[in-house]
Amino acid sequence: MFDRPIVYHIPVCPFSQRLEILLSLRGQTSAVDFRVVDITVPRPADLLRKTRGSTTLPVLETPDGRIIKESLVILRYLDETLAGTPLRREDPVEHAIESMLIAKEGGLTSAGYLFLMNQDEEKRATKLETLLAQFRALDDFLVEHCPDSRFLFDRFGLAEAVFAPIFQRFWFLDYYEGFSLPDEAGYRRVKAWLDACRDHPASQQVSEEAIVKLYYDYALGAGNGGLVAGRATSSFAFEPRWQDRPWPPRSKYGKAATDAELGLVGKQRGVWLAWRRMPGLRPGQLIGAARPRP
């Protein structure tokens, strides 16, 4: 037994960030004990026992030892169990509307990540149109339900907490694919929403620089800490720190950068999961001790 929920998560994971946003908006950033898992090494055996072999994160462990999976489920669980006013809309119809919008997140996320990871330049136009179609659907929904606000309703709410991390991850599309939403009808309402979500004070856990540097391997088709051919270190490695690395090349269809060119050599790499709380640690910070990669 422990005094608050534990969330096992991956640094800069958008699905974990939405939990941090919720806690920030609710004014309860210390209500959850975040414990970081290194995506570049096998999951710790103790964690796999808790999750019954699942490697998907985040995972929440309740104070009495029960395990809750799926970030949207965890998000709603925390919103319902934390003291104070929930982030979700209290009006049943408005809550239904925000739930309908949240249901569209999966298609957008999938289209964006598949566009980033695409390695066939001849398929680029198709991937782009698939993503733009998702944005047009969001624009249509927002125009129908709230045409005059920057948010879905009158403030940053549950839907924004869900989408803001995805919109911020799409900085990798801006950088590696030169992506931007067209300045024309069918996109203007969703563009205003995207900007409002990215810029809100509660969603500043990550930066564009961090996303671009850490997701370089995704742009080469290697996700979830996988290694690109010819490389020894994932761009998601904790060390060397992303702040100390150069910006990666923008081109994803030409010659790939080496570990040296990415600033990924010369230091210990990998962090093991620390099963203890470090004083003063804020959500999203790293915990644990560095050790050499096997």
Side-chain angles (χ1 to χ4, degrees), residues 121-208:
E121 196 165 5
E122 292 185 359
K123 295 180 179 179
R124 184 184 182 279
T126 300
K127 300 294 185 183
L128 172 60
E129 175 52 32
T130 299
L131 179 61
L132 289 175
Q134 291 288 330
F135 274 110
R136 289 194 298 271
L138 291 175
D139 188 272
D140 182 71
F141 186 95
L142 292 165
V143 168
E144 176 186 1
H145 292 287
C146 194
D148 300 322
S149 173
R150 297 185 71 207
F151 302 112
L152 173 58
F153 293 110
D154 59 332
R155 57 179 171 79
F156 191 110
L158 190 65
E160 285 76 18
V162 170
F163 277 89
I166 304 304
F167 291 152
Q168 291 175 329
R169 296 312 173 283
F170 285 2
W171 280 322
F172 53 46
L173 294 177
D174 303 351
Y175 189 85
Y176 294 115
E177 288 286 0
F179 173 76
S180 62
L181 287 173
D183 183 16
E184 60 188 57
Y187 300 100
R188 292 193 179 104
R189 176 64 179 88
V190 72
K191 175 65 163 57
W193 189 48
L194 179 151
D195 290 341
C197 288
R198 280 180 172 177
D199 295 342
H200 194 275
S203 64
Q204 301 309 301
Q205 294 83 8
V206 298
S207 68
E208 181 175 4

Coordinates of all heavy atoms in Angstrom, one line a residue, residues 121-208:
E121 N 8.8 8.0 -50.5 CA 8.5 9.4 -50.9 C 7.3 9.4 -51.9 O 6.6 10.4 -51.9 CB 9.7 10.1 -51.5 CG 9.6 11.6 -51.6 CD 10.9 12.3 -51.8 OE1 11.9 11.6 -52.0 OE2 10.9 13.5 -51.7
E122 N 7.1 8.4 -52.6 CA 6.0 8.3 -53.6 C 4.6 8.2 -52.9 O 3.6 8.6 -53.5 CB 6.2 7.2 -54.6 CG 7.3 7.3 -55.5 CD 7.4 6.2 -56.5 OE1 6.5 5.3 -56.5 OE2 8.3 6.2 -57.4
K123 N 4.6 7.8 -51.6 CA 3.4 7.7 -50.9 C 3.1 9.0 -50.0 O 2.1 9.1 -49.3 CB 3.4 6.5 -50.0 CG 3.5 5.2 -50.7 CD 3.5 4.0 -49.7 CE 3.5 2.7 -50.5 NZ 3.5 1.5 -49.6
R124 N 4.1 10.0 -50.1 CA 3.9 11.1 -49.3 C 2.6 11.9 -49.5 O 2.0 12.3 -48.5 CB 5.1 12.1 -49.5 CG 5.1 13.3 -48.6 CD 6.2 14.2 -48.9 NE 6.2 15.3 -47.9 CZ 5.4 16.4 -48.0 NH1 4.5 16.5 -49.0 NH2 5.4 17.3 -47.1
A125 N 2.2 12.1 -50.7 CA 1.0 12.8 -51.0 C -0.2 12.1 -50.4 O -1.1 12.8 -49.9 CB 0.9 13.0 -52.5
T126 N -0.3 10.8 -50.5 CA -1.4 10.1 -50.0 C -1.4 10.2 -48.4 O -2.5 10.4 -47.8 CB -1.3 8.6 -50.4 OG1 -1.3 8.5 -51.8 CG2 -2.4 7.8 -49.8
K127 N -0.3 10.1 -47.8 CA -0.2 10.2 -46.3 C -0.6 11.6 -45.9 O -1.3 11.8 -44.9 CB 1.2 9.9 -45.8 CG 1.7 8.5 -46.1 CD 0.9 7.5 -45.4 CE 1.6 6.1 -45.7 NZ 0.8 5.0 -45.0
L128 N -0.2 12.6 -46.7 CA -0.6 14.0 -46.4 C -2.1 14.2 -46.5 O -2.7 14.8 -45.6 CB 0.2 14.9 -47.3 CG -0.2 16.4 -47.2 CD1 0.0 17.0 -45.9 CD2 0.5 17.2 -48.3
E129 N -2.7 13.7 -47.5 CA -4.1 13.9 -47.7 C -4.9 13.2 -46.6 O -5.9 13.7 -46.1 CB -4.5 13.4 -49.1 CG -6.1 13.4 -49.3 CD -6.7 14.8 -49.0 OE1 -6.0 15.8 -49.2 OE2 -7.9 14.8 -48.6
T130 N -4.4 12.0 -46.2 CA -5.1 11.3 -45.1 C -5.1 12.1 -43.8 O -6.1 12.2 -43.1 CB -4.4 9.9 -44.8 OG1 -4.5 9.1 -46.0 CG2 -5.1 9.2 -43.7
L131 N -4.0 12.8 -43.5 CA -3.9 13.6 -42.4 C -4.8 14.9 -42.5 O -5.5 15.2 -41.6 CB -2.5 14.0 -42.1 CG -2.2 14.9 -40.9 CD1 -2.6 14.3 -39.6 CD2 -0.7 15.4 -40.8
L132 N -4.8 15.5 -43.7 CA -5.6 16.7 -43.9 C -7.1 16.4 -43.8 O -7.8 17.2 -43.3 CB -5.3 17.3 -45.2 CG -3.9 18.0 -45.4 CD1 -3.7 18.4 -46.8 CD2 -3.8 19.1 -44.4
A133 N -7.5 15.2 -44.2 CA -8.9 14.8 -44.1 C -9.3 14.7 -42.6 O -10.4 15.1 -42.2 CB -9.1 13.5 -44.8
Q134 N -8.4 14.2 -41.8 CA -8.7 14.2 -40.3 C -8.8 15.6 -39.8 O -9.7 15.9 -39.0 CB -7.5 13.5 -39.6 CG -7.4 12.0 -39.9 CD -8.5 11.2 -39.3 OE1 -9.0 11.5 -38.2 NE2 -8.9 10.1 -39.9
F135 N -8.0 16.5 -40.2 CA -8.1 17.9 -39.7 C -9.4 18.5 -40.2 O -10.0 19.3 -39.5 CB -6.9 18.7 -40.1 CG -5.7 18.6 -39.2 CD1 -4.6 17.9 -39.5 CD2 -5.8 19.2 -37.9 CE1 -3.5 17.8 -38.7 CE2 -4.7 19.1 -37.0 CZ -3.6 18.5 -37.4
R136 N -9.8 18.3 -41.4 CA -11.0 18.8 -42.0 C -12.2 18.3 -41.1 O -13.2 19.1 -40.9 CB -11.2 18.5 -43.4 CG -10.2 19.2 -44.4 CD -10.7 19.1 -45.8 NE -10.7 17.7 -46.3 CZ -9.7 17.1 -46.9 NH1 -8.5 17.7 -47.0 NH2 -9.8 15.9 -47.3
A137 N -12.2 17.1 -40.8 CA -13.3 16.5 -39.9 C -13.3 17.2 -38.6 O -14.4 17.5 -38.1 CB -13.1 15.0 -39.8
L138 N -12.2 17.5 -38.0 CA -12.1 18.2 -36.7 C -12.6 19.6 -36.9 O -13.4 20.2 -36.1 CB -10.7 18.2 -36.2 CG -10.1 16.9 -35.7 CD1 -8.7 17.1 -35.3 CD2 -10.9 16.4 -34.5
D139 N -12.2 20.3 -38.0 CA -12.7 21.6 -38.3 C -14.2 21.7 -38.4 O -14.9 22.6 -37.8 CB -12.0 22.1 -39.5 CG -12.3 23.6 -39.8 OD1 -13.4 23.9 -40.4 OD2 -11.5 24.4 -39.4
D140 N -14.8 20.7 -39.1 CA -16.2 20.7 -39.3 C -16.9 20.5 -37.9 O -18.0 21.2 -37.7 CB -16.6 19.5 -40.2 CG -18.1 19.4 -40.5 OD1 -18.6 20.3 -41.2 OD2 -18.7 18.5 -40.0
F141 N -16.4 19.7 -37.1 CA -17.0 19.4 -35.8 C -16.9 20.7 -34.9 O -17.9 21.0 -34.3 CB -16.2 18.3 -35.1 CG -16.8 17.8 -33.8 CD1 -17.7 16.8 -33.7 CD2 -16.5 18.5 -32.6 CE1 -18.3 16.3 -32.5 CE2 -17.1 18.1 -31.4 CZ -18.0 17.0 -31.3
L142 N -15.8 21.4 -34.9 CA -15.7 22.6 -34.1 C -16.6 23.7 -34.6 O -17.2 24.4 -33.8 CB -14.2 23.0 -34.1 CG -13.2 22.1 -33.4 CD1 -11.8 22.4 -33.7 CD2 -13.4 22.2 -31.8
V143 N -16.7 23.8 -35.9 CA -17.6 24.9 -36.5 C -19.0 24.6 -36.1 O -19.8 25.5 -35.8 CB -17.4 24.9 -38.0 CG1 -18.5 25.8 -38.6 CG2 -16.0 25.5 -38.3
E144 N -19.4 23.3 -36.1 CA -20.8 23.0 -35.7 C -21.1 23.3 -34.3 O -22.1 23.8 -34.0 CB -21.0 21.5 -36.0 CG -22.4 21.0 -35.6 CD -22.6 19.5 -35.7 OE1 -21.6 18.8 -36.1 OE2 -23.7 19.0 -35.4
H145 N -20.1 22.9 -33.4 CA -20.5 23.0 -31.9 C -20.0 24.2 -31.2 O -20.6 24.6 -30.2 CB -19.9 21.7 -31.3 CG -20.5 20.5 -31.7 ND1 -21.8 20.1 -31.3 CD2 -20.1 19.4 -32.5 CE1 -22.2 19.0 -31.8 NE2 -21.1 18.5 -32.5
C146 N -19.0 24.9 -31.7 CA -18.5 26.1 -31.1 C -17.7 26.9 -32.1 O -16.4 26.9 -32.0 CB -17.7 25.7 -29.8 SG -17.4 27.1 -28.7
P147 N -18.3 27.6 -33.0 CA -17.6 28.3 -34.1 C -16.7 29.5 -33.6 O -15.8 29.9 -34.3 CB -18.7 28.7 -35.0 CG -19.9 28.8 -34.2 CD -19.7 27.8 -33.1
D148 N -17.1 30.1 -32.5 CA -16.5 31.4 -32.1 C -15.5 31.4 -31.0 O -14.9 32.4 -30.7 CB -17.6 32.4 -31.8 CG -18.6 32.6 -32.9 OD1 -18.1 32.7 -34.1 OD2 -19.8 32.7 -32.7
S149 N -15.2 30.2 -30.5 CA -14.2 30.1 -29.4 C -12.9 29.5 -29.9 O -12.9 28.8 -30.9 CB -14.7 29.3 -28.2 OG -13.7 29.1 -27.2
R150 N -11.8 29.8 -29.2 CA -10.5 29.1 -29.6 C -10.5 27.7 -29.1 O -9.8 26.8 -29.6 CB -9.3 29.9 -29.0 CG -9.1 31.3 -29.5 CD -7.9 31.9 -28.9 NE -6.7 31.2 -29.5 CZ -5.5 31.2 -28.9 NH1 -5.4 31.6 -27.7 NH2 -4.5 30.6 -29.5
F151 N -11.3 27.4 -28.0 CA -11.4 26.1 -27.5 C -12.7 25.4 -27.9 O -13.5 26.0 -28.6 CB -11.3 26.1 -25.9 CG -10.1 26.8 -25.5 CD1 -10.1 28.0 -24.8 CD2 -8.8 26.1 -25.7 CE1 -8.9 28.6 -24.4 CE2 -7.6 26.7 -25.3 CZ -7.7 28.0 -24.6
L152 N -13.0 24.2 -27.5 CA -14.3 23.5 -27.8 C -15.4 24.3 -27.2 O -16.4 24.5 -27.8 CB -14.3 22.1 -27.3 CG -15.6 21.3 -27.5 CD1 -16.0 21.3 -28.9 CD2 -15.5 19.9 -26.9
F153 N -15.2 24.7 -25.9 CA -16.3 25.5 -25.2 C -15.6 26.8 -24.8 O -15.0 27.5 -25.6 CB -16.8 24.7 -24.1 CG -17.6 23.5 -24.5 CD1 -17.2 22.2 -24.2 CD2 -18.9 23.7 -25.2 CE1 -17.9 21.1 -24.7 CE2 -19.6 22.6 -25.6 CZ -19.1 21.3 -25.3
D154 N -15.8 27.2 -23.6 CA -15.3 28.5 -23.1 C -13.9 28.5 -22.5 O -13.3 29.5 -22.2 CB -16.3 29.1 -22.1 CG -16.4 28.2 -20.9 OD1 -16.2 27.0 -21.0 OD2 -16.8 28.7 -19.8
R155 N -13.3 27.3 -22.4 CA -12.0 27.2 -21.8 C -11.3 25.9 -22.2 O -11.9 25.0 -22.8 CB -12.2 27.2 -20.2 CG -13.1 26.1 -19.7 CD -13.2 26.1 -18.2 NE -14.2 25.2 -17.7 CZ -14.1 23.8 -17.6 NH1 -12.9 23.3 -17.9 NH2 -15.1 23.1 -17.2
F156 N -10.0 25.8 -21.8 CA -9.2 24.6 -22.0 C -9.8 23.5 -21.1 O -9.8 23.6 -19.9 CB -7.8 24.9 -21.7 CG -6.8 23.8 -22.1 CD1 -5.9 24.1 -23.1 CD2 -6.7 22.6 -21.4 CE1 -4.9 23.1 -23.4 CE2 -5.8 21.6 -21.8 CZ -4.9 21.9 -22.8
G157 N -10.3 22.4 -21.8 CA -11.0 21.4 -21.0 C -10.4 20.0 -21.3 O -9.3 19.8 -21.7
L158 N -11.3 19.0 -21.1 CA -10.9 17.6 -21.2 C -10.4 17.3 -22.6 O -9.4 16.6 -22.8 CB -12.0 16.7 -20.8 CG -11.6 15.2 -20.6 CD1 -10.6 15.0 -19.5 CD2 -12.9 14.4 -20.4
A159 N -11.2 17.7 -23.6 CA -10.8 17.5 -25.0 C -9.5 18.1 -25.3 O -8.6 17.5 -26.0 CB -11.9 18.0 -26.0
E160 N -9.2 19.3 -24.8 CA -7.9 19.9 -25.1 C -6.8 19.2 -24.4 O -5.7 19.1 -25.0 CB -8.0 21.4 -24.6 CG -8.8 22.3 -25.5 CD -10.3 22.2 -25.4 OE1 -10.8 21.6 -24.4 OE2 -11.0 22.7 -26.2
A161 N -7.0 18.7 -23.2 CA -6.0 17.9 -22.6 C -5.6 16.6 -23.4 O -4.5 16.2 -23.3 CB -6.5 17.5 -21.2
V162 N -6.6 16.1 -24.1 CA -6.4 14.9 -24.9 C -5.6 15.3 -26.2 O -4.6 14.6 -26.5 CB -7.7 14.2 -25.2 CG1 -7.5 13.1 -26.3 CG2 -8.3 13.6 -24.0
F163 N -6.0 16.3 -26.8 CA -5.4 16.7 -28.1 C -4.1 17.5 -28.1 O -3.3 17.4 -29.0 CB -6.4 17.4 -29.0 CG -7.4 16.5 -29.7 CD1 -8.6 16.2 -29.1 CD2 -7.2 16.1 -31.0 CE1 -9.5 15.4 -29.7 CE2 -8.1 15.3 -31.6 CZ -9.3 14.9 -31.0
A164 N -3.9 18.3 -27.0 CA -2.8 19.2 -27.0 C -1.5 18.4 -27.1 O -0.6 18.8 -27.9 CB -2.8 20.0 -25.7
P165 N -1.2 17.3 -26.5 CA 0.0 16.6 -26.6 C 0.2 16.1 -28.1 O 1.4 16.0 -28.6 CB -0.1 15.4 -25.7 CG -1.0 15.9 -24.6 CD -2.0 16.7 -25.4
I166 N -0.9 15.7 -28.7 CA -0.8 15.2 -30.1 C -0.4 16.4 -31.0 O 0.5 16.3 -31.9 CB -2.1 14.6 -30.6 CG1 -2.5 13.4 -29.6 CG2 -2.0 14.1 -32.0 CD1 -1.4 12.4 -29.5
F167 N -1.1 17.5 -30.9 CA -0.7 18.7 -31.7 C 0.7 19.1 -31.5 O 1.4 19.5 -32.4 CB -1.6 19.9 -31.3 CG -3.1 19.7 -31.7 CD1 -4.1 20.3 -31.0 CD2 -3.4 18.9 -32.8 CE1 -5.4 20.2 -31.3 CE2 -4.7 18.8 -33.2 CZ -5.7 19.4 -32.4
Q168 N 1.2 19.0 -30.3 CA 2.7 19.3 -30.0 C 3.6 18.3 -30.6 O 4.6 18.6 -31.2 CB 2.9 19.4 -28.5 CG 2.3 20.6 -27.9 CD 2.4 20.7 -26.4 OE1 2.5 19.6 -25.7 NE2 2.4 21.9 -25.8
R169 N 3.2 17.0 -30.6 CA 4.0 16.0 -31.3 C 4.1 16.3 -32.8 O 5.1 16.0 -33.4 CB 3.5 14.6 -31.1 CG 3.5 14.1 -29.6 CD 4.8 14.3 -29.0 NE 4.9 14.0 -27.6 CZ 4.4 14.8 -26.6 NH1 3.8 15.9 -26.9 NH2 4.6 14.5 -25.4
F170 N 3.1 16.9 -33.4 CA 3.1 17.1 -34.8 C 4.1 18.2 -35.2 O 4.3 18.5 -36.4 CB 1.7 17.5 -35.3 CG 0.8 16.3 -35.4 CD1 1.2 15.0 -35.0 CD2 -0.5 16.5 -35.9 CE1 0.3 14.0 -35.1 CE2 -1.4 15.4 -36.0 CZ -1.0 14.1 -35.6
W171 N 4.8 18.8 -34.2 CA 6.0 19.6 -34.5 C 7.0 18.8 -35.3 O 7.7 19.3 -36.2 CB 6.7 20.1 -33.2 CG 6.0 21.3 -32.6 CD1 5.5 22.4 -33.2 CD2 5.9 21.5 -31.2 NE1 5.0 23.3 -32.3 CE2 5.2 22.8 -31.0 CE3 6.3 20.8 -30.0 CZ2 5.0 23.3 -29.8 CZ3 6.0 21.3 -28.8 CH2 5.3 22.6 -28.7
F172 N 7.0 17.4 -35.1 CA 7.9 16.6 -35.9 C 7.5 16.6 -37.4 O 8.3 16.5 -38.3 CB 8.1 15.2 -35.4 CG 6.8 14.4 -35.1 CD1 5.8 14.2 -36.0 CD2 6.8 13.6 -33.9 CE1 4.7 13.4 -35.7 CE2 5.7 12.8 -33.6 CZ 4.6 12.7 -34.5
L173 N 6.2 16.8 -37.7 CA 5.8 16.9 -39.1 C 6.2 18.2 -39.7 O 6.6 18.3 -40.8 CB 4.3 16.7 -39.2 CG 3.8 15.3 -38.8 CD1 2.2 15.2 -38.9 CD2 4.4 14.2 -39.7
D174 N 6.0 19.3 -38.9 CA 6.5 20.6 -39.3 C 7.9 20.6 -39.7 O 8.3 21.1 -40.8 CB 6.3 21.7 -38.2 CG 4.9 21.7 -37.7 OD1 4.0 21.1 -38.3 OD2 4.6 22.4 -36.7
Y175 N 8.8 19.9 -38.9 CA 10.2 19.9 -39.2 C 10.6 18.9 -40.3 O 11.4 19.3 -41.2 CB 10.9 19.5 -37.8 CG 12.4 19.6 -37.9 CD1 13.0 20.9 -37.6 CD2 13.2 18.5 -38.1 CE1 14.4 21.0 -37.6 CE2 14.6 18.7 -38.1 CZ 15.2 19.9 -37.9 OH 16.6 20.0 -37.9
Y176 N 10.1 17.6 -40.2 CA 10.6 16.6 -41.1 C 9.8 16.5 -42.4 O 10.3 15.9 -43.4 CB 10.6 15.2 -40.4 CG 11.6 15.2 -39.3 CD1 11.2 15.0 -37.9 CD2 13.0 15.2 -39.5 CE1 12.1 14.9 -36.9 CE2 13.9 15.2 -38.4 CZ 13.4 15.0 -37.1 OH 14.3 14.9 -36.1
E177 N 8.6 17.0 -42.4 CA 7.8 17.0 -43.6 C 7.4 18.4 -44.2 O 6.7 18.4 -45.2 CB 6.6 16.1 -43.4 CG 6.8 14.6 -43.3 CD 7.1 14.0 -44.6 OE1 7.1 14.7 -45.6 OE2 7.4 12.8 -44.6
G178 N 7.8 19.4 -43.5 CA 7.4 20.8 -43.9 C 5.9 21.0 -43.9 O 5.3 21.7 -44.7
F179 N 5.3 20.3 -42.9 CA 3.8 20.3 -42.8 C 3.3 21.6 -42.2 O 3.9 22.1 -41.2 CB 3.3 19.1 -42.0 CG 1.8 19.1 -41.8 CD1 1.0 18.8 -42.8 CD2 1.4 19.4 -40.5 CE1 -0.4 18.8 -42.5 CE2 0.0 19.5 -40.3 CZ -0.9 19.1 -41.3
S180 N 2.2 22.1 -42.7 CA 1.4 23.1 -42.1 C 0.0 23.1 -42.6 O -0.2 22.6 -43.7 CB 2.0 24.5 -42.3 OG 2.0 24.8 -43.7
L181 N -0.9 23.5 -41.8 CA -2.3 23.5 -42.2 C -2.6 24.6 -43.3 O -2.1 25.7 -43.1 CB -3.3 23.7 -41.0 CG -3.4 22.5 -40.1 CD1 -4.2 22.9 -38.9 CD2 -4.1 21.3 -40.8
P182 N -3.3 24.3 -44.3 CA -3.6 25.3 -45.3 C -4.4 26.5 -44.7 O -5.2 26.3 -43.8 CB -4.5 24.6 -46.3 CG -4.2 23.1 -46.1 CD -3.9 23.0 -44.7
D183 N -4.1 27.7 -45.1 CA -4.8 28.9 -44.7 C -6.0 29.1 -45.6 O -6.0 30.0 -46.4 CB -3.8 30.1 -44.7 CG -4.5 31.4 -44.2 OD1 -5.5 31.2 -43.5 OD2 -4.0 32.5 -44.5
E184 N -7.0 28.3 -45.3 CA -8.2 28.3 -46.1 C -9.4 27.7 -45.4 O -9.2 27.1 -44.3 CB -8.0 27.6 -47.5 CG -7.7 26.1 -47.3 CD -7.3 25.4 -48.6 OE1 -6.3 25.9 -49.2 OE2 -8.0 24.4 -48.9
A185 N -10.6 28.0 -45.9 CA -11.7 27.4 -45.3 C -11.6 25.9 -45.2 O -11.1 25.2 -46.1 CB -13.0 27.8 -46.1
G186 N -12.1 25.4 -44.1 CA -12.0 24.0 -43.8 C -10.9 23.6 -42.8 O -10.8 22.5 -42.4
Y187 N -10.0 24.6 -42.5 CA -8.9 24.4 -41.6 C -8.7 25.5 -40.6 O -8.0 25.3 -39.6 CB -7.6 24.3 -42.4 CG -7.5 23.2 -43.4 CD1 -7.8 23.4 -44.8 CD2 -7.3 21.9 -43.0 CE1 -7.7 22.4 -45.7 CE2 -7.2 20.8 -43.9 CZ -7.5 21.1 -45.3 OH -7.4 20.1 -46.2
R188 N -9.4 26.7 -40.8 CA -9.1 27.8 -40.0 C -9.5 27.6 -38.5 O -8.8 28.0 -37.6 CB -9.7 29.1 -40.6 CG -9.0 29.5 -41.9 CD -9.4 30.9 -42.3 NE -8.8 31.3 -43.5 CZ -9.4 31.3 -44.7 NH1 -10.6 31.0 -44.8 NH2 -8.7 31.7 -45.8
R189 N -10.7 27.0 -38.3 CA -11.2 26.8 -37.0 C -10.3 25.8 -36.2 O -9.9 26.1 -35.0 CB -12.6 26.3 -37.0 CG -13.2 26.0 -35.6 CD -13.3 27.2 -34.7 NE -13.9 26.9 -33.4 CZ -13.2 26.5 -32.4 NH1 -11.9 26.3 -32.5 NH2 -13.8 26.2 -31.2
V190 N -9.9 24.7 -36.9 CA -9.1 23.8 -36.2 C -7.7 24.3 -36.0 O -7.0 23.9 -35.0 CB -9.1 22.4 -37.0 CG1 -8.3 22.5 -38.3 CG2 -8.5 21.3 -36.1
K191 N -7.2 25.1 -36.9 CA -5.9 25.8 -36.7 C -5.9 26.6 -35.5 O -4.9 26.6 -34.7 CB -5.5 26.6 -38.0 CG -4.2 27.4 -37.8 CD -3.0 26.5 -37.7 CE -1.7 27.2 -38.0 NZ -1.4 28.4 -37.1
A192 N -6.9 27.4 -35.3 CA -7.0 28.2 -34.1 C -7.0 27.4 -32.8 O -6.4 27.7 -31.8 CB -8.3 29.1 -34.1
W193 N -7.7 26.2 -32.9 CA -7.8 25.3 -31.7 C -6.4 24.7 -31.5 O -6.0 24.6 -30.3 CB -8.8 24.2 -32.0 CG -9.1 23.4 -30.8 CD1 -9.4 23.8 -29.6 CD2 -9.2 21.9 -30.8 NE1 -9.7 22.7 -28.8 CE2 -9.6 21.5 -29.5 CE3 -9.1 21.0 -31.8 CZ2 -9.7 20.2 -29.2 CZ3 -9.2 19.6 -31.5 CH2 -9.6 19.3 -30.2
L194 N -5.8 24.3 -32.6 CA -4.4 23.7 -32.4 C -3.5 24.7 -31.7 O -2.7 24.3 -30.8 CB -3.9 23.3 -33.8 CG -2.5 22.7 -33.9 CD1 -2.4 21.7 -35.1 CD2 -1.4 23.7 -34.1
D195 N -3.5 25.9 -32.2 CA -2.6 26.9 -31.6 C -2.9 27.2 -30.2 O -2.0 27.3 -29.3 CB -2.6 28.2 -32.4 CG -2.0 28.1 -33.8 OD1 -1.2 27.2 -34.0 OD2 -2.4 29.0 -34.6
A196 N -4.2 27.2 -29.8 CA -4.6 27.5 -28.4 C -4.2 26.3 -27.5 O -3.8 26.5 -26.4 CB -6.1 27.7 -28.4
C197 N -4.3 25.1 -28.0 CA -3.8 23.9 -27.3 C -2.3 23.9 -27.0 O -1.9 23.6 -25.9 CB -4.3 22.6 -28.0 SG -6.1 22.3 -27.9
R198 N -1.6 24.2 -28.1 CA -0.1 24.2 -28.0 C 0.4 25.2 -27.0 O 1.4 25.0 -26.3 CB 0.5 24.4 -29.4 CG 0.5 23.1 -30.3 CD 1.2 23.5 -31.6 NE 1.4 22.3 -32.4 CZ 1.9 22.4 -33.7 NH1 2.2 23.6 -34.2 NH2 2.1 21.3 -34.4
D199 N -0.3 26.4 -27.0 CA 0.2 27.5 -26.3 C -0.2 27.6 -24.9 O 0.3 28.4 -24.1 CB -0.2 28.8 -27.1 CG 0.4 28.9 -28.4 OD1 1.4 28.2 -28.7 OD2 -0.1 29.7 -29.2
H200 N -1.2 26.8 -24.5 CA -1.8 27.0 -23.2 C -0.7 26.7 -22.1 O 0.1 25.8 -22.2 CB -3.0 26.0 -23.0 CG -3.8 26.4 -21.8 ND1 -3.5 25.9 -20.5 CD2 -4.9 27.1 -21.7 CE1 -4.4 26.4 -19.7 NE2 -5.3 27.1 -20.4
P201 N -0.7 27.5 -21.0 CA 0.3 27.3 -19.9 C 0.3 25.9 -19.3 O 1.3 25.4 -18.9 CB -0.1 28.4 -18.9 CG -0.8 29.4 -19.7 CD -1.6 28.7 -20.8
A202 N -0.8 25.2 -19.3 CA -0.9 23.9 -18.7 C -0.3 22.8 -19.6 O -0.1 21.7 -19.1 CB -2.3 23.5 -18.4
S203 N 0.0 23.1 -20.8 CA 0.6 22.1 -21.7 C 2.0 22.3 -22.1 O 2.5 21.8 -23.2 CB -0.3 22.0 -23.0 OG -0.2 23.2 -23.7
Q204 N 2.8 23.0 -21.2 CA 4.2 23.3 -21.6 C 5.2 22.3 -21.0 O 6.3 22.7 -20.7 CB 4.5 24.7 -21.1 CG 3.6 25.8 -21.7 CD 3.5 25.7 -23.2 OE1 4.5 25.8 -23.9 NE2 2.3 25.5 -23.8
Q205 N 4.8 21.0 -20.9 CA 5.7 20.0 -20.4 C 6.8 19.7 -21.4 O 7.9 19.1 -21.0 CB 5.0 18.8 -20.0 CG 4.0 18.9 -18.9 CD 2.7 19.5 -19.3 OE1 2.4 19.6 -20.5 NE2 1.8 19.7 -18.3
V206 N 6.6 19.9 -22.7 CA 7.6 19.6 -23.7 C 7.8 20.8 -24.6 O 7.1 21.8 -24.6 CB 7.1 18.4 -24.6 CG1 6.9 17.2 -23.7 CG2 5.8 18.8 -25.3
S207 N 8.9 20.8 -25.4 CA 9.3 21.8 -26.3 C 9.4 21.3 -27.7 O 9.6 20.0 -27.9 CB 10.6 22.5 -25.9 OG 11.7 21.6 -26.1
E208 N 9.3 22.2 -28.7 CA 9.5 21.7 -30.1 C 10.9 21.1 -30.3 O 11.0 20.1 -31.0 CB 9.3 22.9 -31.0 CG 9.4 22.5 -32.5 CD 9.1 23.7 -33.4 OE1 8.9 24.8 -32.9 OE2 9.1 23.5 -34.6

